[in-house]
Each structure stands twice: as C-alpha cells, then as structure tokens.
Amino acid sequence: MKRLSRCIMYIVGILYLIPFYILINLAFRPASNSSSYWIPSFNLYLDNFKNAWLEANMISAFKNNIFITLVVVVSVIVLGAFASYPLARYKTKFNNFIYTLCVSCMIVPPLTILVPLYKLIVNTTGTSTYLSVILPHIAYQLPITIFLFTGFIGSISKELDEAALIDGCGRFRIFFRIIFPLLKPVTATVTILVGVAIWNDYTFSIFFLQKPKMYTITVALSQFFSQFSNQINWVAAGCIIGTIPLVVLYLFLQKYFVKGLSAGAVKG
C-alpha cells in the first residue's frame, strides 16, 4: 500500500511538471526550431526573453503589477488583522454572525457581480484607474484574510491580553505591541495567497484597465499573444518572466506559509 501511494505521488508530480517542462523548453528554443515540443533544446536561445520584455512592454506591466499587488496586500493585512482581533477575542452572537458572513463570502465567485460592477465603474468614469481594480480586490480578499487571522489569533493565549491589561495597556496597544508581532506566520500566508491571486488576476484587469499603459502582466501577455500568435516562444518567455517574482516571494516566506495556513484553518 505504501509503495502504491508513493507511485501515485510520483505520477501526479510528473503530470504537474509536464506543462512547466514544455513552457521552459519553448522559452529557450528559437522559433526556427520546428521539432517536437517534447524534445529538449540543448542550445539556450535567450533572445526570446529580450523580445518578450521589449515587445510586450513588460516594464510598464511590472510596475502596475507591483503597485496594485502591494497596495492590496498591505490593505487586506491591516484591515483583516484589525477586524479579526475582536472577532477572535469576543465570542458574542453579533461577532459570530459577522464572522460567518465574512466566511460565507468566500464562496462567491467574482464573475457573479462582474457585470453590475463594470457598469458602476463605467458610470463613475473609473475605468483605467488603479482604484477600479484595487477596491474590488480588497473586497474579495478580505474574507479569506479574516478567516485566517481570526483562527490564528484564537490560538494565542488570552492570558497575554489579561497580563497586559493589568499592566495598564489599552486594547490598541495590546494589539500593536503583543498580538500583531505574533502574526508573522499567518501574515506570510496571507501575503502569498493574496499576492499570487492579485499578481495573476486577469478578470478584473482586462475589464477595468483598458489603456495600454495600465496593463498588468496577464493582460500584456494576452495582448502580446494575440498580436504575435506565431511567436509562441516569446509568449513562453514572457510567462516565465512573470512568474519569477512569485517564486522569489515564496522562497522567502515558505517557512511561515504552512504554519500560518494550518493554524488559521484549524483554529478558526
């Protein structure tokens, strides 16, 4: 049984790696190479990355992605931590209702309100502005943030709060001096989950960011693909460039990720 489980694990791992193998193989081979995508290219062709970076205007797209992602991640961490502290510490009927309402919003897909949201933004002349994507992202990422933060704060002993109250600390000081520094694992988890979701967003960006100078990486690559449909190697190189920041982010925060995710999910 153990051997069978290990074989299944290897098979699933190989299936997951196949698309990445094809992507990398395409990115490092010239367009003139008409051999099968499965045959590796041993001569690394780096011009695909140069062409993808210049032709798809990746510099502007990276700036837009970084700004939008940073603003959303910081906003949901601050707002989510503030909202989660009373929800975790005061188990009243009203707080339980608010918590249940927030968690239930996690099952609502963004596409369900995309049409009325788009109409609202168009009527308020908000298209092609950062706020048109930042505010919806914050609204959609707050439920999962509150869910994780509430669960993690609930696992922290209330005796810390009581000891600080005896020493004369107020609730705000307790939160900032004692509770918030202990939230590093779940903060790293939220940063990765929300950061990846915002960085890879396509639905909101394609509808609300219509000017080329406002394009994010996903929109820029989609336009790039339609414009240079015969240059699939450039598209593959652009996809690799766009994933590098996410890989770096995960490598820096991976030691906190599992701890924060498990604590937030189990204790919530």
Side-chain angles (χ1 to χ4, degrees), residues 85-115:
Y85 180 65
L87 293 177
R89 284 295 189 252
Y90 306 106
K91 298 294 185 177
T92 64
K93 291 184 178 180
F94 179 75
N95 283 353
N96 289 335
F97 169 76
I98 295 298
Y99 176 75
T100 303
L101 182 64
C102 291
V103 172
S104 63
C105 291
M106 293 168 55
I107 66 175
V108 180
L111 289 175
T112 56
I113 66 166
L114 183 59
V115 173

Side-chain angles (χ1 to χ4, degrees), residues 1-11:
M1 186 66 182
K2 185 177 180 181
R3 183 177 299 178
L4 177 61
S5 300
R6 185 176 298 177
C7 291
I8 294 176
M9 182 181 65
Y10 289 151
I11 293 173

Side-chain angles (χ1 to χ4, degrees), residues 83-161:
S84 300
Y85 180 65
L87 293 177
R89 284 295 189 252
Y90 306 106
K91 298 294 185 177
T92 64
K93 291 184 178 180
F94 179 75
N95 283 353
N96 289 335
F97 169 76
I98 295 298
Y99 176 75
T100 303
L101 182 64
C102 291
V103 172
S104 63
C105 291
M106 293 168 55
I107 66 175
V108 180
L111 289 175
T112 56
I113 66 166
L114 183 59
V115 173
L117 183 61
Y118 177 76
K119 185 176 181 180
L120 174 64
I121 292 177
V122 169
N123 291 339
T124 57
T125 64
T127 55
S128 295
T129 62
Y130 287 121
L131 285 179
S132 64
V133 292
I134 288 176
L135 294 180
H137 278 315
I138 293 176
Y140 270 102
Q141 298 302 325
L142 269 178
I144 182 64
T145 304
I146 292 175
F147 171 72
L148 293 173
F149 271 121
T150 302
F152 195 89
I153 294 174
S155 67
I156 299 175
S157 176
K158 292 184 179 180
E159 294 178 357
L160 294 175
D161 298 42

Side-chain angles (χ1 to χ4, degrees), residues 168-190:
C169 292
R171 287 295 178 181
F172 282 98
R173 190 174 180 183
I174 292 174
F175 176 78
F176 284 109
R177 293 290 185 89
I178 299 176
I179 303 299
F180 197 74
L182 298 176
L183 302 181
K184 289 182 180 179
V186 71
T187 300
T189 302
V190 170

